Amino acid sequence: MNDAVSKLILVDDHPMLRKGVRQLVELEDDMQVIGEAGNGREAIELAQQLEADLILLDLSMKGMDGIETLRQMRDAGIGCRIVVFTVSDESSDMVAAFKAGADGYLLKDMDPEELVTRIRDACVGKMVLSHELTEVLAKAFRDNARREQDTGYDSLTRREKEILRMLAAGLSNKMVGRELDIVEATVKVHVKHLLKKLGLRSRVEAAVWAVEHHKN
Protein backbone atom coordinates (compact mmCIF):
# COMPACT_ATOMS: atom_id res chain seq x y z
CA MET A 1 0.00 0.00 0.00
CA ASN A 2 1.18 3.53 -0.80
CA ASP A 3 2.86 5.28 2.14
CA ALA A 4 0.79 8.36 1.38
CA VAL A 5 -2.39 6.52 2.40
CA SER A 6 -3.45 7.33 5.98
CA LYS A 7 -4.67 4.30 7.93
CA LEU A 8 -7.68 4.70 10.26
CA ILE A 9 -9.33 2.71 13.02
CA LEU A 10 -12.98 3.47 13.80
CA VAL A 11 -14.21 2.97 17.38
CA ASP A 12 -17.96 3.29 18.00
CA ASP A 13 -20.61 1.03 19.49
CA HIS A 14 -23.05 1.85 16.66
CA PRO A 15 -22.30 -0.35 13.61
CA MET A 16 -24.34 1.89 11.30
CA LEU A 17 -22.24 4.93 12.18
CA ARG A 18 -19.01 3.01 11.61
CA LYS A 19 -20.35 1.84 8.25
CA GLY A 20 -21.25 5.40 7.25
CA VAL A 21 -17.83 6.82 8.17
CA ARG A 22 -16.08 3.88 6.46
CA GLN A 23 -18.01 4.50 3.24
CA LEU A 24 -17.16 8.20 3.44
CA VAL A 25 -13.47 7.55 4.00
CA GLU A 26 -13.25 4.91 1.25
CA LEU A 27 -14.31 7.52 -1.31
CA GLU A 28 -10.92 9.18 -0.71
CA ASP A 29 -7.72 7.96 -2.36
CA ASP A 30 -5.45 9.01 0.51
CA MET A 31 -7.29 7.35 3.42
CA GLN A 32 -8.24 3.80 4.32
CA VAL A 33 -10.05 2.16 7.26
CA ILE A 34 -7.93 -0.76 8.45
CA GLY A 35 -9.99 -1.74 11.51
CA GLU A 36 -13.17 -1.25 13.52
CA ALA A 37 -14.04 -1.79 17.16
CA GLY A 38 -17.38 -1.67 18.98
CA ASN A 39 -16.05 -1.11 22.50
CA GLY A 40 -13.04 0.15 24.42
CA ARG A 41 -11.42 -3.22 25.12
CA GLU A 42 -11.55 -4.22 21.45
CA ALA A 43 -10.23 -0.80 20.47
CA ILE A 44 -7.15 -1.05 22.70
CA GLU A 45 -6.32 -4.56 21.41
CA LEU A 46 -6.82 -3.47 17.81
CA ALA A 47 -4.67 -0.35 18.25
CA GLN A 48 -1.86 -2.50 19.63
CA GLN A 49 -2.10 -5.00 16.75
CA LEU A 50 -2.40 -2.56 13.85
CA GLU A 51 -0.24 0.40 12.89
CA ALA A 52 -2.82 3.15 12.42
CA ASP A 53 -2.20 6.83 11.72
CA LEU A 54 -5.49 7.90 13.30
CA ILE A 55 -8.11 6.49 15.65
CA LEU A 56 -11.58 8.04 15.48
CA LEU A 57 -12.99 7.39 18.95
CA ASP A 58 -16.57 7.65 20.23
CA LEU A 59 -17.00 9.19 23.67
CA SER A 60 -20.19 7.50 24.94
CA MET A 61 -19.82 3.74 24.71
CA LYS A 62 -21.26 1.01 26.90
CA GLY A 63 -18.83 -0.39 29.42
CA MET A 64 -15.54 1.47 29.07
CA ASP A 65 -16.25 4.99 27.83
CA GLY A 66 -14.14 6.94 25.35
CA ILE A 67 -12.17 8.91 27.96
CA GLU A 68 -11.06 5.76 29.81
CA THR A 69 -10.31 4.03 26.50
CA LEU A 70 -8.20 7.01 25.45
CA ARG A 71 -6.39 7.09 28.77
CA GLN A 72 -5.58 3.37 28.63
CA MET A 73 -4.40 3.68 25.02
CA ARG A 74 -1.93 6.39 25.98
CA ASP A 75 -0.83 4.44 29.06
CA ALA A 76 -0.21 1.44 26.80
CA GLY A 77 2.11 3.55 24.64
CA ILE A 78 -0.20 3.93 21.65
CA GLY A 79 1.20 7.05 20.03
CA CYS A 80 -0.92 7.51 16.90
CA ARG A 81 -3.30 10.44 16.52
CA ILE A 82 -6.56 9.96 18.44
CA VAL A 83 -9.56 12.18 17.68
CA VAL A 84 -12.76 12.04 19.72
CA PHE A 85 -15.89 11.86 17.54
CA THR A 86 -19.02 12.50 19.60
CA VAL A 87 -22.40 14.20 20.01
CA SER A 88 -21.30 15.90 23.25
CA ASP A 89 -20.45 19.60 23.13
CA GLU A 90 -20.00 19.80 26.91
CA SER A 91 -16.84 21.68 27.84
CA SER A 92 -16.13 19.20 30.66
CA ASP A 93 -16.03 16.33 28.14
CA MET A 94 -13.70 18.30 25.85
CA VAL A 95 -11.31 19.22 28.64
CA ALA A 96 -11.31 15.62 29.92
CA ALA A 97 -10.58 14.31 26.42
CA PHE A 98 -7.62 16.63 25.86
CA LYS A 99 -6.24 15.90 29.34
CA ALA A 100 -6.42 12.19 28.53
CA GLY A 101 -4.36 12.72 25.38
CA ALA A 102 -6.78 13.48 22.54
CA ASP A 103 -5.47 15.23 19.42
CA GLY A 104 -8.85 16.59 18.41
CA TYR A 105 -12.55 16.75 19.17
CA LEU A 106 -15.19 16.60 16.44
CA LEU A 107 -18.98 16.57 16.59
CA LYS A 108 -20.95 13.90 14.78
CA ASP A 109 -23.39 16.38 13.24
CA MET A 110 -20.71 18.04 11.09
CA ASP A 111 -20.97 18.02 7.30
CA PRO A 112 -19.42 14.94 5.65
CA GLU A 113 -17.09 17.10 3.54
CA GLU A 114 -15.82 18.93 6.63
CA LEU A 115 -15.34 15.65 8.49
CA VAL A 116 -13.14 14.32 5.69
CA THR A 117 -11.10 17.53 5.73
CA ARG A 118 -10.64 17.38 9.51
CA ILE A 119 -9.68 13.70 9.44
CA ARG A 120 -7.09 14.47 6.76
CA ASP A 121 -5.73 17.39 8.84
CA ALA A 122 -5.50 15.17 11.92
CA CYS A 123 -3.64 12.48 9.97
CA VAL A 124 -0.87 14.94 9.06
CA GLY A 125 -0.45 16.09 12.66
CA LYS A 126 -2.79 19.04 13.11
CA MET A 127 -5.02 19.53 16.13
CA VAL A 128 -8.65 19.46 14.98
CA LEU A 129 -11.69 20.95 16.67
CA SER A 130 -15.21 21.62 15.41
CA HIS A 131 -15.55 25.35 14.69
CA GLU A 132 -18.43 25.88 17.12
CA LEU A 133 -16.43 24.36 19.97
CA THR A 134 -13.45 26.72 19.87
CA GLU A 135 -15.06 29.37 22.07
CA VAL A 136 -16.55 26.74 24.40
CA LEU A 137 -13.11 25.23 24.94
CA ALA A 138 -11.47 28.64 25.27
CA LYS A 139 -13.98 29.62 27.97
CA ALA A 140 -13.39 26.37 29.85
CA PHE A 141 -9.65 27.03 29.91
CA ARG A 142 -10.17 30.73 30.65
CA ASP A 143 -12.29 29.90 33.69
CA ASN A 144 -9.38 27.86 35.07
CA ALA A 145 -6.65 30.21 33.91
CA ARG A 146 -4.10 31.82 36.16
CA ARG A 147 -3.88 35.61 36.16
CA GLU A 148 -0.18 35.73 35.42
CA GLN A 149 -0.60 34.44 31.86
CA ASP A 150 -0.29 37.86 30.22
CA THR A 151 2.90 38.61 32.12
CA GLY A 152 4.07 35.09 31.38
CA TYR A 153 3.89 35.77 27.65
CA ASP A 154 6.36 38.66 28.00
CA SER A 155 8.82 36.29 29.67
CA LEU A 156 8.80 33.85 26.74
CA THR A 157 11.92 33.69 24.60
CA ARG A 158 11.74 34.47 20.87
CA ARG A 159 11.90 30.74 20.09
CA GLU A 160 9.16 29.94 22.62
CA LYS A 161 6.89 32.59 21.07
CA GLU A 162 7.63 31.15 17.65
CA ILE A 163 6.67 27.66 18.81
CA LEU A 164 3.54 28.99 20.53
CA ARG A 165 2.38 30.48 17.22
CA MET A 166 2.95 27.12 15.54
CA LEU A 167 0.94 25.34 18.24
CA ALA A 168 -1.87 27.82 17.60
CA ALA A 169 -1.72 26.86 13.92
CA GLY A 170 -2.30 23.24 14.94
CA LEU A 171 1.17 21.87 14.26
CA SER A 172 2.40 18.81 16.14
CA ASN A 173 5.79 18.73 17.90
CA LYS A 174 7.20 16.74 14.99
CA MET A 175 5.92 19.29 12.45
CA VAL A 176 7.30 22.18 14.53
CA GLY A 177 10.67 20.45 14.60
CA ARG A 178 10.67 20.14 10.82
CA GLU A 179 9.74 23.79 10.37
CA LEU A 180 12.50 25.00 12.72
CA ASP A 181 15.03 22.30 11.79
CA ILE A 182 15.37 21.09 15.37
CA VAL A 183 14.76 17.65 16.89
CA GLU A 184 11.38 16.78 18.38
CA ALA A 185 12.89 16.34 21.86
CA THR A 186 14.04 19.99 21.80
CA VAL A 187 10.55 21.11 20.79
CA LYS A 188 9.11 19.21 23.77
CA VAL A 189 11.49 21.03 26.11
CA HIS A 190 10.47 24.42 24.70
CA VAL A 191 6.77 23.51 24.99
CA LYS A 192 7.27 22.43 28.60
CA HIS A 193 8.95 25.76 29.44
CA LEU A 194 6.36 27.95 27.72
CA LEU A 195 3.50 26.06 29.41
CA LYS A 196 5.10 26.66 32.79
CA LYS A 197 5.59 30.38 32.09
CA LEU A 198 1.99 30.79 30.93
CA GLY A 199 0.56 28.73 33.77
CA LEU A 200 -1.08 26.30 31.35
CA ARG A 201 -1.37 22.52 31.55
CA SER A 202 -1.31 21.30 27.97
CA ARG A 203 -0.33 22.19 24.41
CA VAL A 204 -4.04 22.35 23.54
CA GLU A 205 -4.61 25.00 26.20
CA ALA A 206 -1.61 26.89 24.84
CA ALA A 207 -2.99 26.74 21.29
CA VAL A 208 -6.44 27.97 22.34
CA TRP A 209 -4.93 30.67 24.57
CA ALA A 210 -2.71 31.93 21.75
CA VAL A 211 -5.62 32.16 19.31
CA GLU A 212 -7.80 33.90 21.87
CA HIS A 213 -5.09 36.45 22.71
CA HIS A 214 -4.15 36.96 19.05
CA LYS A 215 -0.64 35.60 19.58
CA ASN A 216 -0.86 33.52 16.42
Side-chain angles (χ1 to χ4, degrees):
M1 188 170 64
N2 192 319
D3 289 340
V5 176
S6 297
K7 295 167 287 185
L8 281 66
I9 292 175
L10 308 180
V11 184
D12 198 292
D13 58 2
H14 291 89
M16 286 297 291
L17 186 135
R18 297 200 308 269
K19 183 178 180 180
V21 175
R22 175 185 278 273
Q23 290 176 338
L24 190 66
V25 167
E26 288 180 346
L27 292 173
E28 307 300 317
D29 294 331
D30 58 345
M31 294 187 287
Q32 181 182 19
V33 175
I34 60 169
E36 295 183 23
N39 61 60
R41 296 286 180 201
E42 288 179 6
I44 294 168
E45 291 177 9
L46 204 58
Q48 290 174 319
Q49 293 168 6
L50 304 176
E51 291 187 10
D53 298 299
L54 176 72
I55 297 173
L56 205 59
L57 175 65
D58 185 27
L59 198 64
S60 304
M61 296 185 291
K62 295 174 184 176
M64 186 189 299
D65 66 16
I67 298 298
E68 183 58 28
T69 301
L70 176 55
R71 190 176 292 117
Q72 289 196 27
M73 282 182 175
R74 293 311 191 199
D75 287 345
I78 294 167
C80 72
R81 312 285 292 174
I82 303 176
V83 172
V84 170
F85 189 46
T86 179
V87 296
S88 174
D89 60 0
E90 293 292 327
S91 61
S92 57
D93 285 335
M94 280 186 279
V95 172
F98 284 119
K99 280 185 178 178
D103 298 294
Y105 196 101
L106 301 175
L107 295 180
K108 288 182 177 179
D109 63 356
M110 67 195 312
D111 291 335
E113 295 79 6
E114 185 183 1
L115 175 60
V116 169
T117 299
R118 294 310 183 90
I119 289 176
R120 185 173 286 116
D121 285 345
C123 286
V124 299
K126 293 184 178 180
M127 182 190 79
V128 293
L129 185 68
S130 291
H131 289 303
E132 61 270 40
L133 298 180
T134 305
E135 177 54 33
V136 177
L137 187 61
K139 183 179 185 303
F141 288 148
R142 186 165 61 241
D143 289 344
N144 296 322
R146 288 166 53 176
R147 293 177 181 173
E148 53 269 16
Q149 285 175 351
D150 283 326
T151 355
Y153 181 77
D154 294 334
S155 71
L156 297 183
T157 64
R158 179 189 59 80
R159 178 48 60 89
E160 287 166 354
K161 289 177 180 177
E162 195 174 17
I163 290 176
L164 179 61
R165 286 193 294 273
M166 291 183 177
L167 296 185
L171 273 64
S172 65
N173 287 346
K174 185 177 291 185
M175 293 173 73
V176 170
R178 288 176 185 168
E179 288 289 324
L180 299 178
D181 197 25
I182 57 179
V183 297
E184 188 176 354
T186 302
V187 177
K188 288 180 180 179
V189 172
H190 285 306
V191 171
K192 181 180 179 181
H193 289 165
L194 71 86
L195 289 178
K196 184 176 181 181
K197 290 178 181 179
L198 292 174
L200 299 170
R201 295 163 298 182
S202 73
R203 53 182 291 112
V204 177
E205 282 191 68
V208 174
W209 182 89
V211 171
E212 191 181 28
H213 289 77
H214 308 292
K215 305 298 187 184
N216 59 323

